Amino acid sequence: MAVFWCTETLPLAVTAMLPVCLFPLLGILPSSKVCQQYFVDTNFLFLSGLVMASAIEEWNLHRRIALRVLMLVGVKPAWLIMGMMITSAFLSMWLSNTATTAMMLPIGNAILQSLFGDLEKLKEKCHLKDDAESASQMKLQVLASEKQILTGEERADLSEACDTRSASEIRKESEYQKKVWKGFLISIPYAASIGGTATLTGTSPNLILVGQLKSFFPDCDIINFGSWFVFSCPLMLLFLFLGWLWISFLYGGLNTRLCLQKKDFRAEAETKARAVIEEDYKKLGPVKFAEGAIGFFFFLFAILLFTRDPKFFPGWAQLFNKGYVSDAVTGVSIVSILFFFPSQKPSLNWWFDFRAQNTQNMPLVSWKKAQETVPWNIILLLGGGFAMAKGCEESGLSMWIGSHLQPLESVPPGVAVLLITVVVASFTEFASNTATTIIFLPVLAELAMRLQVNPLYLMIPATIGCSYAFMLPVSTPPNSIAFASGHLQVKDMVKTGVVMNILGVLSLSLAMNTWGLYVFDLHTYPSWARSTNVTTVLPGLLNSTATPLNATL
């Protein structure tokens, strides 16, 4: 399955269904146990997040949020890149990374065209030769002499054409604008990948971690929406800021014009860009009833998930039987309302006038829309990962692999985290994020038990590291969408992505060894990780030479 996922010999969802037929035939698991893994409560949480995302897209709330943020941050290139990254990261926390990138790229292109004009003409200016300077100046003088008889719109076009700069100056400025254009395009998929790590529903590797924890450690209830958000949101903000500094520096957005007001041809282009953003926002009109309703339920969705059982204060789940209410219950409860809540403001006249005609209002989201927009293949892929993890556990494969990772026993856990993150982030450049998570997590669970460290200390960095795929177009769908625009080259992504990977690995290691220790209580080896199954099958596996995490730290 790992080979098929990496090479995409079969569609990913088809490969994910192989355990249904192979595990029973090979005597690993009965089909009743295998099929249970394909729709656990983690999948229902993922499904509820996808339905909420489809409702947000249906009523254009995401576009209103994006344009509003861009109006707030300003139109200088560095600030606009920051605005695009903040918006992409925020939307990716709730929408899929792919949908966020596909939605933000057209907005970015519209802004860039207002700033720099047509890209093809910009590329032509980058190859302008100095020996054409004199001829160009003569042509501009002729055009200038005819300017007085042109209409207002034609004068605006001619003003752009009548550029008194030399050919070398035009070429230099065009090359700068082309770099900024690339910075815009490359920042969107990167920010989407970073933002998806902040919530459990943001990307599938996070949900795979929850599912595999329940498979390997049934008593582990540390990871939920609230505790994950408290840990990963600060990490996301830190990495997003470092990524913005690097992309802005590399692509020319960081300069003295970032803070200084300067009247030149760039200022005129920035004024045009602001006008385009404001015009697009005005076209959306006032906030509609459906947008307000979706915004309310979206806010309620996030708040209820966060406060269910955040660990650092009593959550509302304590009002019910212990262990009965999970994040899936919260998600499905909220999105179920979307299927009958009206998209138009209901009238009370019907209640008082029995002769009033019945009018049917469309709900905020229809089941037909949900069927079309929900990627059911990803749900099968998640289920295949859970089934694979269950097979690894029942057959003893993961324990066998863990027992052969002896060289890592002498490595301090902090260094092991760094090495694991580097390996996973490198592997995910060539394989899908989901497949990488499924392959590595069972092995790391057994390794953690062998080292007598908290399994979360190794499994969380591997999970988040799977989303740090920045170097290649094929690494993740957001990269592919940005690359498909035709304005980026592979070398651009490699050059930018190498440093992004380094920044991500360092940020993640810092988070795990600082606030992560307290959020997930990583100082000690937890009771839920002491599996009797491990000590029975492989006596002596948890030997006395293992080094506790707190002693190493």
Side-chain angles (χ1 to χ4, degrees):
M1 287 176 68
V3 171
F4 278 18
W5 271 327
C6 294
T7 59
E8 295 192 34
T9 306
L10 292 174
L12 298 180
V14 176
T15 302
M17 291 190 291
L18 290 180
V20 176
C21 58
L22 293 182
F23 282 8
L25 295 176
L26 297 173
I28 297 172
L29 281 173
S31 61
S32 58
K33 286 190 176 181
V34 178
C35 294
Q36 287 175 0
Q37 307 301 316
Y38 281 82
F39 233 101
V40 297
D41 62 341
T42 305
N43 273 348
F44 274 102
L45 174 61
F46 186 53
L47 177 62
S48 62
L50 293 174
V51 173
M52 177 63 73
S54 67
I56 290 172
E57 293 181 56
E58 174 74 12
W59 299 105
N60 252 349
L61 180 61
H62 60 311
R63 185 171 179 83
R64 185 179 294 276
I65 294 172
L67 293 173
R68 190 64 186 170
V69 171
L70 293 176
M71 289 172 62
L72 291 174
V73 297
V75 292
K76 294 184 184 299
W79 293 134
L80 270 178
I81 290 175
M82 174 181 280
M84 297 297 285
M85 294 184 73
I86 291 174
T87 308
S88 300
F90 174 75
L91 292 175
S92 185
M93 291 165 61
W94 316 102
L95 311 179
S96 73
N97 303 351
T98 306
T100 299
T101 305
M103 184 274 294
M104 290 298 295
L105 278 175
I107 297 175
N109 278 322
I111 295 170
L112 289 167
Q113 287 179 2
S114 64
L115 270 173
F116 306 135
D118 184 68
L119 181 61
E120 297 304 321
K121 291 182 180 179
L122 189 64
K123 291 179 179 178
E124 292 176 5
K125 291 179 182 179
C126 291
H127 297 91
L128 197 63
K129 296 181 180 179
D130 291 329
D131 55 11
E133 182 176 344
S134 57
S136 175
Q137 292 292 339
M138 290 178 63
K139 181 179 179 181
L140 293 176
Q141 290 175 1
V142 173
L143 289 172
S145 65
E146 298 176 354
K147 182 177 179 181
Q148 55 187 358
I149 63 174
L150 299 178
T151 65
E153 185 177 347
E154 291 170 333
R155 288 183 185 183
D157 295 336
L158 185 60
S159 297
E160 185 177 349
C162 295
D163 197 333
T164 58
R165 292 173 295 167
S166 65
S168 60
E169 290 174 338
I170 294 175
R171 184 175 64 250
K172 184 177 179 180
E173 179 63 22
S174 299
E175 289 173 351
Y176 165 77
Q177 293 175 353
K178 187 178 176 183
K179 281 178 61 179
V180 173
W181 197 303
K182 288 184 177 182
F184 265 74
L185 296 181
I186 212 166
S187 68
I188 294 171
Y190 288 3
S193 296
I194 296 170
T197 63
T199 61
L200 276 184
T201 56
T203 185
S204 52
N206 301 351
L207 293 166
I208 291 173
L209 171 66
V210 177
Q212 295 205 4
L213 278 174
K214 290 181 179 178
S215 176
F216 281 99
F217 313 106
D219 296 331
C220 177
D221 61 347
I222 301 297
I223 299 288
N224 57 47
F225 193 94
S227 61
W228 182 269
F229 186 82
V230 169
F231 166 74
S232 56
C233 187
L235 169 62
M236 182 269 289
L237 293 175
L238 172 63
F239 189 17
L240 199 67
F241 176 71
L242 295 176
W244 170 71
L245 288 178
W246 167 239
I247 292 173
S248 298
F249 170 77
L250 187 62
Y251 292 98
L254 288 179
N255 50 45
T256 54
R257 300 187 79 260
L258 186 65
C259 301
L260 300 177
Q261 294 290 339
K262 186 178 180 181
K263 291 189 175 182
D264 55 9
F265 57 92
R266 290 186 189 174
E268 295 176 4
E270 289 167 3
T271 303
K272 290 181 183 179
R274 179 180 289 277
V276 168
I277 297 172
E278 292 176 351
E279 182 66 25
D280 285 348
Y281 189 79
K282 287 179 181 177
K283 288 179 182 178
L284 295 175
V287 177
K288 303 177 182 64
F289 177 80
E291 289 182 74
I294 284 293
F296 170 76
F297 286 117
F298 171 65
F299 179 76
L300 187 64
F301 178 79
I303 291 297
L304 289 180
L305 282 174
F306 182 79
T307 57
R308 181 187 66 83
D309 186 19
K311 301 303 179 185
F312 50 90
F313 66 84
W316 58 264
Q318 293 186 356
L319 301 174
F320 303 90
N321 293 339
K322 186 177 181 181
Y324 275 55
V325 179
S326 67
D327 286 336
V329 176
T330 309
V332 174
S333 299
I334 295 299
V335 299
S336 296
I337 301 174
L338 305 182
F339 287 98
F340 65 81
F341 197 88
S343 59
Q344 295 181 359
K345 188 176 181 180
S347 173
L348 297 178
N349 292 336
W350 184 86
W351 294 96
F352 302 103
D353 185 2
F354 295 105
R355 292 176 297 178
Q357 187 178 2
N358 289 334
T359 55
Q360 183 179 4
N361 280 338
M362 290 291 295
L364 290 174
V365 63
S366 64
W367 182 248
K368 182 179 179 182
K369 177 68 176 178
Q371 284 182 309
E372 293 173 352
T373 56
V374 171
W376 301 100
N377 59 320
I378 301 297
I379 292 178
L380 282 176
L381 190 59
L382 286 174
F386 299 152
M388 187 183 190
K390 192 68 175 176
C392 289
E393 178 191 3
E394 293 288 334
S395 65
L397 173 64
S398 55
M399 290 185 290
W400 179 84
I401 294 175
S403 65
H404 285 73
L405 295 175
Q406 296 177 355
L408 287 177
E409 290 185 16
S410 58
V411 176
V415 178
V417 167
L418 193 62
L419 292 175
I420 289 167
T421 310
V422 170
V423 170
V424 170
S426 301
F427 191 85
T428 195
E429 298 290 350
F430 306 97
S432 76
N433 302 351
T434 307
T436 304
T437 313
I438 294 170
I439 293 167
F440 277 91
L441 286 189
V443 176
L444 293 176
E446 295 298 335
L447 176 62
M449 288 188 287
R450 182 170 182 81
L451 296 178
Q452 288 280 276
V453 301
N454 193 315
L456 296 178
Y457 192 65
L458 302 183
M459 297 174 76
I460 290 176
T463 302
I464 296 179
C466 287
S467 297
Y468 291 169
F470 305 113
M471 289 178 58
L472 298 174
V474 297
S475 299
T476 186
N479 291 7
S480 302
I481 293 173
F483 185 77
S485 65
H487 308 322
L488 291 173
Q489 297 178 330
V490 175
K491 65 179 182 181
D492 296 324
M493 302 197 93
V494 172
K495 179 173 62 176
T496 314
V498 167
V499 177
M500 288 293 291
N501 275 4
I502 294 173
L503 293 174
V505 169
L506 294 178
S507 301
L508 183 53
S509 297
L510 174 65
M512 287 302 300
N513 290 288
T514 51
W515 67 87
L517 294 175
Y518 301 96
V519 173
F520 298 118
D521 194 22
L522 301 178
H523 299 87
T524 58
Y525 186 65
S527 58
W528 49 260
R530 297 188 177 97
S531 174
T532 55
N533 183 41
V534 177
T535 54
T536 303
V537 176
L538 292 176
L541 183 61
L542 304 178
N543 52 53
S544 58
T545 59
T547 306
L549 174 61
N550 54 352
T552 305
L553 293 175

